Amino acid sequence: MSGNPYQEDRGNKDATITNTHGAGTMQPAHRKSGPTKKVEGDSPFLIGDCMTGGYGKGPDILHDCTIAVNPGEIAVIVGPNGAGKSTAMKAVFGMLNVRSGSVRLDGEDITQLTPQDRVVKGMGFVPQTSNIFTSMTVEENLEMGAFIRTDDFSNTMEQVYHLFPILKEKRNQPAGELSGGQRQQVAVGRALMTQPKVLMLDEPTAGVSPIVMDELFDRIIEVARTGLPILMVEQNAKQALEIADKGYVLVQGRNAYTGTGQELLADPEVRKSFLGG
Amino acid sequence: MELLNALVAFTNFVGVPAIAYGSQLAIGALGVTLVYSVLRFSNFAHGDTMAFGTMVTILVTWLFQGAGISFGPLPTALLALPFGIAVTMGLVLFTDRTVYRFYREQKAKPVVFVMVSLGVMFMMNGLVRFIIGPGDQRFADGERFIISARDFKKMTGLDEGLAIKTSQGITVVTAIIVVALLFWFLNKTRTGKSMRAYSDNEDLALLSGINPERVVMYTWLIVATLATIAGVLYGLDKSFKPFTYFQLLLPIFASAIVGGLGSPIGAIAGGFIIAFSEVTITYAWKKVATYVLPETMAPDGLVQLLSTDYKFAVSFAILIIVLLFKPTGIFKGKSV
């Protein structure tokens, strides 16, 4: 794997001497943050502008891909399997080597920052899988979300409990014992604890039942109404576009169609190719 | 009266020593389990970290004894213990900076870390022998017994005596304090919670703004403290010999695995299980049996299942049995 002899374990699976549980798999584009610079001119609050790049030294997966979101909006990235939806989101979050193009947040070029520093800048990211601390209680999960804050975060926690009442009920239960939908609520709640300026959700409804999915979408709309911009990758294109202010249809790492959710839903071309008629 | 004598003999030769030994193993196993869950490898250098910490404590103890400083009825080593802990913290942090950090930056697989820790073990082993020598050192001073066998016999009028050594009393009290502090730290403090978060899900901890290098540093500091305390308690109770500490690795790992690797409660339970098994199996039951059984059935032999020379076979056998039939250990550890 990647020619690094230290990452070769020669098939060792002996868990009595090695613990792979929860080990890090994230491979950020930059190990150390580079400089940021102020950018003049009018541009969306968060924008991944004309991004081209791929993982590590690998081939380009994104080609001139642009994704943007403004306060109070929900932007949704949809597209067929392998279109680079999650990859586009990860590029915005700094997990991808962006070779040309830039990522700008609130008038600042953050292309060279590590994912951790982007969190400090105000990006809240909810990964698709392993997005909660399973062995810790719901409340501890939220506390960990607020780790970078030095002020009193009990107000934010109350807001999260207000948004997700079920979490308040289960605050002292290990998060790993909750159902799929409740876990996603914990994950979103954890990200909200930093009081982010923008929230990024990677397939928040993956693997939950349709009823729970509707409820999750309702909650996401509720969060967006507070003015927080939300960027979301979704499998369920139809439902996602219905709540989207802005939709991006990606095909093979390129912007295929862009428009408001309603426009895309009405577009016969999009309907035929992605929404099943 | 016979039964009471049997009970006292049992407590004297099995109960008290096993509780003390179990507490020492438990503190040792807690260190192993912490490295395993946070740094994600089995630290083979743990036994020699214990030896190093104990060695420093012994050297400071000698210094104090030379200067005429004593701790009244308690062993002087307790006064020297903080110094031993501080120097050991320095050593493990130095090892981490110079050795382990390189492999973390390479994102090396855990099994590579295991092999690295083996190298660190040899280095520490050599260092300890180089400084204090391979011989036996006794450094316990102060009052030797809380209750001696003779006093107990005089007090109760029984034939059998019950002796509790000061070192055994100190061991149990220290173990309770250490375990309570550790659990409070892991469950209630921000740093402790961040360690658990990092152990649970490294990526998400990073995304929450937890600095991995800080988590690693705190883990090593705690591990150095636990190792030194366990080592000094063991040395006070028995004696200090570098090779014995190296051998302690087996019962310590057996304790951690029997209890469930990665589970602090498991490490404590495992420590006592291993200690009680070792002591009961290598104890000559003749005396207790003579009291309990009718005279005609009194045994001729020693009724000792295994000679004390083979005590490590007990840990080893338990280890194998647990790995064969319940590899996650009693408290559902992570070694599946």
Side-chain angles (χ1 to χ4, degrees), chain A residues 87-110:
Chain A
T87 310
M89 171 104 94
K90 283 181 180 160
V92 173
F93 195 60
M95 311 271 268
L96 207 71
N97 236 336
V98 177
R99 296 195 182 91
S100 76
S102 62
V103 182
R104 298 192 298 274
L105 175 71
D106 203 5
E108 198 176 359
D109 188 325
I110 57 167

Side-chain angles (χ1 to χ4, degrees), chain A residues 29-30 49-54 62 91-92 94 96-103 111-112 118:
Chain A
H30 309 284
D49 202 3
C50 301
M51 299 179 296
T52 301
L62 295 181
V92 173
L96 207 71
N97 236 336
V98 177
R99 296 195 182 91
S100 76
S102 62
V103 182
T111 321
Q112 304 294 324
R118 287 177 207 227

